[in-house]
Amino acid sequence: MLQNIKKKARAYSPWIFHAHAGGCNNCDIELAACFAPRYDLERMGIQLRNNPRHADILIVTGPVTKQISSSLRRIYDQVPNPKVVVACGSCALTGGVYNRDDGKPNYALAGPPEKLIPIDISVPGCPPKPESIIDGVMLALEILRKK
Amino acid sequence: MKTGLARLAKELLRNSLRPVTANYPAIPEHARPHEPGEEIRGRHRFDVEKCVGCGACQTVCSSGAISVTDSGIERVLRIDLSTCIFCGRCRDICPEEGLQLTPEVPSAQPYGDILKTFKVEHSVDLSSCVGCGRPTYPKKQIETVRMRIISNLDKVNVDSARRDMDIYLKYCLNCRRSLSYIFGTHPRKLY
């Protein structure tokens, strides 16, 4: 009973933590645009929080550099269950432009975030349009309702 | 200062009269986001009739999203949209204008579907070498090269060039090199 109420409430007001794991900062600017008046995500009860312990949805941008790989893993562990991870942008999906042409691993990368944490939703584009990011968050909500 | 304040007041008045935020998912007329223009670069589309399969798009791809694989009888051009950065260099380099970027922007998907849906594929037929039987170049590319060379040459040279091309376009590079004295198509023609 209480669980059901909690589940419903969570889907109405999920909080987002934004983990920036390297990259060129362009996805982060588009993510900031999602919370600006034009694409206002906060009207759906979605808030950007500064603490992973408060968050339900984790948005990862950028290819994971070696320096930040341990921190990203820690952030993922700190997000309370149930949680949904959204990989935002080409870099977070496959490595994007940071991949080498000859197929060898880049010396500065710990691979795309897929190697470190399980990912539920992918948002393509470089950078993804705010509409795509909102779509991704909406898909994450559906997963959150089922969990 | 005065004009700035006046502009601000005007903006405030206008924003208090109509909503600015775009709805999700339904979008009413007054708050529609800007229409995607011609310059919006989204999902790729191969023009089936124009594309010759030369692979020029692969050589300039900045993120390595385009791959060209030859498998016996056909060449497959595959664009991985999850790696692509939509810079449009492949469209600019294409000599036949056979690759276009549509305004349709790929939307978010569950992560498991990423390899199935986030790609654009196009395949062209390969011709095989008469001498050794290995696949050489796409049939369409050979035809286009022949047409283009003949149309750009002087009238004096057209006949000999056509005679040479009739022979050597059937063979792969190695066979052309080893058999050129026998065919009489060696560039120096000192035989």
Side-chain angles (χ1 to χ4, degrees):
Chain A
M1 178 67 186
L2 197 66
Q3 283 296 319
N4 280 339
I5 294 171
K6 258 173 132 181
K7 208 189 262 180
K8 221 170 193 178
R10 193 181 287 122
Y12 272 107
S13 177
W15 288 359
I16 290 178
F17 180 76
H18 169 213
H20 171 58
C24 68
N25 224 7
N26 209 342
C27 301
D28 312 329
I29 292 167
E30 296 294 315
L31 197 62
C34 285
F35 288 89
R38 180 93 205 167
Y39 297 99
D40 203 3
L41 262 178
E42 286 194 7
R43 77 195 130 139
M44 298 168 199
I46 301 167
Q47 283 189 9
L48 205 58
R49 301 308 284 191
N50 292 335
N51 194 338
R53 290 179 207 278
H54 296 168
D56 302 302
I57 299 173
L58 177 67
I59 296 189
V60 184
T61 57
V64 184
T65 56
K66 272 188 182 156
Q67 292 277 345
I68 211 155
S69 58
S70 58
S71 303
L72 183 69
R73 181 69 222 183
R74 222 177 121 206
I75 287 168
Y76 176 79
D77 290 337
Q78 281 174 348
V79 178
N81 278 321
K83 53 193 161 191
V84 182
V85 183
V86 179
C88 179
S90 293
C91 302
L93 295 178
T94 54
V97 281
Y98 295 97
N99 281 334
R100 282 175 55 160
D101 285 344
D102 51 8
K104 286 176 192 163
N106 189 332
Y107 70 91
L109 295 187
E114 173 196 30
K115 284 185 186 170
L116 299 163
I117 53 178
I119 285 170
D120 301 308
I121 307 290
S122 53
V123 182
C126 183
K129 293 191 78 179
E131 287 99 332
S132 304
I133 297 179
I134 296 174
D135 275 344
V137 174
M138 289 297 133
L139 280 174
L141 282 191
E142 276 175 27
I143 290 182
L144 212 57
R145 279 200 190 94
K146 282 172 197 164
K147 269 186 181 172
Chain B
M1 181 69 188
K2 234 179 204 175
T3 53
L5 276 177
R7 207 183 295 148
L8 187 66
K10 204 175 157 192
E11 187 85 358
L12 276 173
L13 197 65
R14 205 196 294 141
N15 285 355
S16 58
L17 288 177
R18 58 163 177 75
V20 186
T21 307
N23 282 14
Y24 181 85
I27 300 162
E29 190 79 34
H30 57 264
R32 187 165 289 164
H34 66 278
E35 290 281 316
E38 287 171 17
E39 289 304 310
I40 290 282
R41 301 188 294 265
R43 188 182 278 272
H44 303 246
R45 194 184 62 225
F46 282 104
D47 196 323
V48 181
E49 289 181 358
K50 282 182 184 169
C51 177
V52 295
C54 58
C57 40
Q58 186 227 358
T59 58
V60 295
C61 184
S62 43
S63 61
I66 305 180
S67 63
V68 175
T69 42
D70 291 355
S71 60
I73 49 166
E74 66 171 11
R75 168 177 284 187
V76 183
L77 304 156
R78 191 177 288 116
I79 304 180
D80 184 5
L81 293 184
S82 58
T83 313
C84 178
I85 61 165
F86 303 100
C87 57
R89 285 172 80 189
C90 46
R91 174 192 61 187
D92 295 343
I93 197 80
C94 185
E96 302 296 322
E97 298 178 354
L99 182 61
Q100 295 296 330
L101 296 175
T102 55
E104 182 207 339
V105 178
S107 180
Q109 301 270 339
Y111 191 72
D113 300 349
I114 181 171
L115 292 176
K116 293 174 204 157
T117 51
F118 286 175
K119 65 182 177 187
V120 180
E121 278 188 346
H122 180 59
S123 60
V124 285
D125 288 342
L126 280 177
S127 69
S128 53
C129 174
V130 179
C132 60
R134 292 202 192 94
T136 53
Y137 302 102
K139 284 172 186 168
K140 262 187 170 178
Q141 187 186 358
I142 292 174
E143 282 307 307
T144 338
V145 165
R146 187 200 296 270
M147 294 288 291
R148 199 158 283 175
I149 287 176
I150 286 174
S151 64
N152 286 341
L153 276 177
D154 293 340
K155 276 181 187 173
V156 189
N157 300 325
V158 164
D159 279 339
S160 64
R162 187 177 284 146
R163 214 179 306 124
D164 285 358
M165 278 193 288
D166 279 341
I167 301 166
Y168 70 71
L169 280 182
K170 293 174 189 165
Y171 294 88
C172 69
L173 265 181
N174 282 336
C175 291
R176 278 181 212 173
R177 208 172 286 141
S178 55
L179 301 174
S180 59
Y181 282 102
I182 301 167
F183 300 146
T185 57
H186 193 277
R188 271 175 285 160
K189 300 205 173 175
L190 295 172
Y191 28 85

